[in-house]
């Protein structure tokens, strides 16, 4: 989180909101999005299975693996196809990616995120409910602190 924020805040400067142009320059944010797609494929992709090893330390969340790699999510590199590939590729891919960058980028740009008191990193689970789109089984509670006002806590579910 700190690494993404550092990058976003360098590009953002004094802006209130980062737009698509700012976010496209954020190489580390994009590596984090790719790494999240890699580790948590959406259920729509269920019928596909990998039959050979493509990644070093595949279980590790390690966005840096994408910094030196040309692997993209747009259906050309079969190691990573979160939107599918070929004729049935997701038609909402560009909208989905733009929305993800804008939402995740601005949430991390504007707030510092913490777990509530007494909750540890290992208490956070990544279980999802069955269905075509992955909804969290248990809500994630986080405290968001604004960059400016340390006492202005917002609770997000
Ligand atoms: C991050 C966001 C999204 C992800 C990860 C995603 C992922 C996928 C995947 C894996 C498929 C199946 C592709 C296949 O069969 O090989 C799919 C299909 C589809 N997606 Fe998305 N999608 C996203 C956003 C969207 C958005 C925003 C829209 C519409 C505005 C959309 C509309 C569709 C439609 C209509 C299909 C069915 C296409 C077909 O079967 O011909 N998706 N998506």
């Amino acid at each position: 989180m700190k690494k993404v924020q550092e990058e976003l805040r360098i590009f953002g400067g004094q802006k209130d909101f980062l737009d698509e142009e700012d976010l496209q320059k954020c190489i580390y944010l994009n590596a984090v999005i790719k790494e999240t797609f890699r580790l948590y494929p959406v259920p729509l992709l269920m019928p596909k299975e990998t039959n050979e090893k493509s990644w070093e330390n595949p279980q590790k969340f390690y966005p840096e693996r994408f910094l030196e790699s040309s692997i993209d999510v747009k259906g050309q590199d079969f190691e990573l196809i979160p939107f599918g590939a070929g004729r049935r590729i997701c038609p909402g891919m560009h909208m989905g990616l733009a929305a993800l960058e804008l939402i995740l980028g601005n949430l991390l740009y504007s707030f510092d995120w913490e777990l509530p008191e007494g909750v540890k990193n290992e208490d956070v689970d990544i279980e999802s409910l069955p269905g075509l789109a992955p909804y969290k089984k248990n809500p994630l509670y986080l405290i968001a602190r604004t960059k400016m006002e340390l006492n202005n806590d917002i609770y997000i579910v």
Side-chain angles (χ1 to χ4, degrees):
M1 182 181 81
K2 298 268 179 239
K3 274 192 185 178
V4 179
Q5 284 176 327
E6 217 171 274
E7 180 184 62
L8 291 168
R9 290 171 188 175
I10 287 171
F11 285 120
Q14 296 301 311
K15 282 177 123 178
D16 288 336
F17 188 82
L18 299 180
D19 58 32
E20 289 93 331
E21 214 174 294
D22 304 317
L23 290 160
Q24 270 164 15
K25 295 181 212 141
C26 296
I27 291 160
Y28 196 76
L29 169 72
N30 282 289
V32 165
I33 292 175
K34 283 183 186 172
E35 182 66 341
T36 309
F37 276 141
R38 189 189 67 81
L39 268 176
Y40 309 106
V42 296
L44 269 175
L45 286 167
M46 272 301 260
K48 300 175 184 73
E49 251 179 54
T50 43
N51 57 9
E52 57 183 82
K53 197 176 153 231
S54 302
W55 309 101
E56 229 171 275
N57 296 324
Q59 301 302 330
K60 189 174 171 196
F61 184 83
Y62 183 61
E64 285 76 5
R65 69 177 84 240
F66 289 108
L67 297 181
E68 300 293 321
S69 143
S70 62
I71 293 177
D72 205 359
V73 291
K74 296 187 180 141
Q76 303 301 313
D77 304 301
F78 292 141
E79 300 93 328
L80 186 65
I81 48 166
F83 298 95
R87 286 203 286 179
R88 295 300 291 266
I89 195 170
C90 172
M93 176 172 69
H94 292 287
M95 183 180 169
L97 278 172
L100 262 178
E101 277 177 13
L102 277 171
I103 295 166
L104 182 64
N106 278 291
L107 284 176
L108 288 173
Y109 176 62
S110 299
F111 301 101
D112 288 337
W113 297 89
E114 289 167 22
L115 290 170
E117 221 179 303
V119 183
K120 300 191 210 79
N121 283 356
E122 51 272 27
D123 297 331
V124 176
D125 72 81
I126 48 140
E127 277 188 83
S128 54
L129 291 170
L132 288 180
Y135 289 98
K136 276 187 72 57
K137 185 170 171 194
N138 300 304
L140 173 67
Y141 293 96
L142 294 174
I143 297 172
R145 291 186 197 281
T146 59
K147 284 185 288 183
M148 318 287 177
E149 306 153 73
L150 281 176
N151 294 324
N152 181 14
D153 290 351
I154 301 165
Y155 291 81
I156 308 262
V157 179

